[in-house]
Amino acid sequence: MRILYEWPPTRSQRARWALEELGLDYESHPVKLMEGEQNGADYRAIHPLGVVPALKANGYTMFESVAVVMQLIDEHPEKTLAPPPGSPERALYYQWCTFACAEMDPALMAYFDNAVRPLEAMRPPGRQHNAEFADYGRRDFALRAEALSKALRGRDYLLGPAFTGADILIGHSCFMAAHLELIGDYPILQAYHGRLKQRPAYQRSYES
Ligand SMILES: N[C@@H](CCC(=O)N[C@@H](CS)C(=O)NCC(=O)O)C(=O)O
């Protein structure tokens, strides 16, 4: 049985959404971040950085939300949540999947850490908010939100009419941007997030 190490609302929801979208069986292991479970030896043996998500599956244990989503989808090509390897569509799929962790996460986390994250949850403890760094995060987010809005103009999903794993990954960035009240200036992105929120698997992952 697969075990998903998670704690909502965090990037672990990307992995949960992929599991739900694919209809796979899994057990949830909540890692109680506010109680420091992620720093204990048991969880550090699973994830050396003490962050979520991590996934224990048949034959492997892995971490990194983007990699987990891509691996699960590749294990189930019959569900067609990714274009075939080597195809032109696959190039865009890789592009947007990695855009989620390489571009969206740092911008959103810079804003979150410096403007929103409760001080008692700051890592390392004692870190303070910083208005200048928060502003960098907001500006970095704006550039990326504009790029996504351009890519999504006239299409339902990032790759066109078909929903893929790239939408799961960028969809989480939209969830974060909505949570941080950064998405309001980007109507195309907001409408896209609205479409994603209609999906039953999204609702099971984000609203349960
Ligand atoms: N690059 C990692 C980032 C994982 C990460 O930083 N997770 C955060 C929640 S979004 C976490 O577990 N933080 C624990 C803590 O701050 O103690 C991924 O995408 O899986």
Side-chain angles (χ1 to χ4, degrees):
M1 174 63 90
R2 290 176 199 83
I3 302 175
L4 174 62
Y5 297 85
E6 60 175 346
W7 187 253
T10 68
R11 281 167 271 190
S12 66
Q13 279 157 303
R14 287 178 171 151
R16 176 182 271 255
W17 186 4
L19 288 161
E20 291 287 341
E21 201 71 59
L22 291 162
L24 302 177
D25 289 333
Y26 64 98
E27 275 173 16
S28 168
H29 178 122
V31 181
K32 299 187 183 73
L33 298 186
M34 300 316 284
E35 294 173 23
E37 184 180 340
Q38 71 277 27
N39 301 318
D42 287 354
Y43 188 63
R44 288 291 173 128
I46 292 163
H47 196 314
L49 304 184
V51 295
V52 291
L55 178 75
K56 205 176 258 186
N58 295 335
Y60 63 89
T61 300
M62 72 180 295
F63 46 83
E64 282 300 331
S65 59
V66 172
V68 169
V69 169
M70 294 175 84
Q71 170 68 15
L72 290 170
I73 287 174
D74 280 355
E75 287 173 14
H76 297 277
E78 75 286 359
K79 304 279 184 176
T80 62
L81 287 183
S87 64
E89 294 77 19
R90 185 81 172 194
L92 283 187
Y93 172 75
Y94 285 134
Q95 172 187 296
W96 291 123
C97 286
T98 51
F99 195 79
C101 57
E103 300 294 341
M104 299 306 289
D105 288 357
L108 288 161
M109 293 311 291
Y111 183 74
F112 176 66
D113 280 344
N114 288 293
V116 178
R117 192 196 279 263
L119 293 181
E120 66 274 14
M122 290 290 243
R123 280 180 67 173
R127 243 183 86 187
Q128 298 292 313
H129 292 163
N130 179 312
E132 193 183 351
F133 291 164
D135 206 43
Y136 290 145
R138 183 190 276 279
R139 277 185 281 158
D140 282 351
F141 170 76
L143 281 176
R144 286 149 185 79
E146 280 157 20
L148 284 169
S149 300
K150 193 167 166 208
L152 283 162
R153 192 162 297 134
R155 42 175 65 186
D156 280 350
Y157 300 110
L158 283 164
L159 269 63
F163 172 87
T164 69
D167 300 300
I168 292 177
L169 295 164
I170 296 290
H172 180 76
S173 311
C174 293
F175 164 82
M176 271 300 287
H179 178 69
L180 298 174
E181 300 182 359
L182 292 175
I183 205 172
D185 290 339
Y186 306 96
I188 292 179
L189 212 49
Q190 218 169 4
Y192 167 67
H193 187 214
R195 273 191 297 284
L196 297 175
K197 281 159 68 175
Q198 301 302 313
R199 299 183 75 83
Y202 179 103
Q203 291 163 12
R204 287 196 296 277
S205 310
Y206 285 83
E207 292 161 21
S208 60

